[in-house]
Amino acid sequence: MVEELLRDREDLLVVAGLGACAWDITAAGDRAENFPLWGAMGGAVMIGLGLALAQPEKRVLVITGDGEMLMGVGSLATVAVKSPANLSIVVLDNERFGETGMQTTHTAAGADLAATAAGLGLAKTATVSDEAGLATVRRNIYGDAGLSFDVVKVKAEDLDFTLPPKDGAYLKDRFRITLLGEGAATL
Ligand SMILES: Cc1ncc(C[n+]2csc(CCOP(=O)(O)OP(=O)(O)O)c2C)c(N)n1
Ligand SMILES: [Mg+2]
């Protein structure tokens, strides 16, 4: 599913929350324009918001898990206030804290992240669970729909995973250099 979302991504910048999202964007092809988080739980949307504001000419995708999004849910209020047109947020909702042992999250008990985002002021929100929905999410990421927030319901499966590089400083430098040039390295 993530491979399909990232197909023909060109220069899309991708911030992935920890857990399956970080592994899945890596499985789709590790590259400098990926910023997978190993920690910073709850921070993915804020990192993506800063990036979208700093790089208005680039499209930015934040892809994160339901647990991570629930932890950082307040950040959506700030996203709504700033409303960058180049930001898409996609939540892979398996209704589980998958990485830590598949404990159910609040979405399994009915918490509705798309409704929450709408309530905080995001105009374009949806929950999808089939291939037609996925096509809509792709249009939101690559089209000119502006700011979007999509929840993709996925099965809670314990799949093999592809780990991104483990060195956070390396990931940061590689990302900065590809955007800003060699001088942006801080190591
Ligand atoms: C502040 C903080 N609390 C708890 C954890 C432990 N932790 C790591 S991954 C994870 C679950 C993530 O769930 P979700 O975002 O839904 O991703 P999934 O693993 O389901 O893909 C938790 C609780 C952490 N890394 N940081
Ligand atoms: Mg999850």
Side-chain angles (χ1 to χ4, degrees), residues 20 65-68 92-99 103 105 154:
D66 48 311
E68 205 277 344
L92 297 198
D93 185 3
N94 59 0
E95 304 187 350
R96 302 287 187 281
F97 296 106
E99 184 177 339
Q103 305 89 350
T105 66
V154 295

Side-chain angles (χ1 to χ4, degrees), residues 1-10 12-15 21 24-25 28 31 34 59 61-64 88-93 128 130-143 148 150-154:
M1 196 277 280
V2 171
E3 211 163 67
E4 169 59 15
L5 280 186
L6 298 183
R7 178 172 52 78
D8 301 329
R9 60 185 270 182
E10 298 185 351
L12 181 74
L13 303 175
V14 180
V15 176
C21 291
D24 290 354
I25 67 158
R31 50 193 284 176
N34 283 358
R59 294 283 325 166
L61 169 66
V62 173
I63 182 164
T64 194
S88 301
I89 301 167
V90 172
V91 179
L92 297 198
D93 185 3
V128 306
D130 58 15
E131 291 199 10
L134 207 54
T136 307
V137 176
R138 265 191 69 89
R139 278 197 294 280
N140 287 343
I141 297 171
Y142 298 103
S148 62
D150 290 297
V151 176
V152 182
K153 288 284 186 181
V154 295

